[in-house]
Amino acid sequence: GAVGDAALPVPAQALVAAALLAGLGLAGLRFARALLPGEDRATTAVAALTLVSAGWTVVGTALGHFGALTLRNALVAAALATFASAWSNPEPAPRAGQVEGLGAAERALLAATLAFFAASLLLEVVRQLDAAPGAQGYDDTSYHLSAVATWLQWGDLRMVKFPVGDGSTAFYPVAGELFSYLLLAPLGGVDVLARWSELPFALGAVAAIVAIGRQLSLHDGATATAAALYAAIPRVFPAGALGAGNDHAMAFFLLGSAAFALTLRRRPARGAWALLGCAAGLVVGTKYSGPMLLPGLLALA
């Protein structure tokens, strides 16, 4: 059958999914380095994920409105983005050096914190490996994943009607759900990747906190503490990170908007303005409450 059909061998489907995500990641990284050359790794990573999300939200929404939201078209769009990024003339990100300004005790504490965070997240991922989608919350299977399943079946952005919640035939905004579509479409609708939709944004939010600390010229210990405190919230890790909702996506776009707004203080370049526009637009494109949060972000900019 066609690429992405359930009849395609599972290893081939996995390769298609890996190629799709790798191509988008490479394109986002190249464009991020072109827009913000010479930035630190955290800011570059935040910019890359923001650009991938913004690009796919625009393309996916357009395809959906024309009834052409298919895996084949998504693969073509990803290939074109990867091809175009080869001419973006990206500058390499600065090499990551040793953490400065930290004493031996602080470095040991930071290393222990990171090790604990990585181990606890890995254990929770293994524990959730065979869990059904929706194990972390009713919203996943109530409307987040049901929307994606409907799009997979019909190739457009129609929405099933519910007796509770949003009962419209098409609900907006849909940026978070469109990202879930990228994880499910290459596997023919098999939901093995459904529970990982929020994990990239959860990790991206931690990177955004580090980027904000760098933009504020905070002591590295203070920046690390802020990121660790955020990661220590149970609703953040592991519960919210292992689901298919849009809470982490919203948090990431908010933190990314703040990071890019602070970047403008140091380098008011067009690239920083473009990234702020993408991130702030995705705040509106992810949740209905987004417009209420824009005034503060724009004031910061």
Side-chain angles (χ1 to χ4, degrees), residues 290-301:
M292 296 188 296
L293 304 171
L294 284 186
L297 293 173
L298 296 179
L300 181 62

Side-chain angles (χ1 to χ4, degrees), residues 104-128:
E106 285 181 307
R107 285 198 296 270
L109 181 60
L110 176 58
T113 302
L114 291 174
F116 177 79
F117 168 69
S120 61
L121 180 61
L122 179 61
L123 288 174
E124 190 64 24
V125 166
V126 172
R127 192 177 73 85
Q128 294 283 339

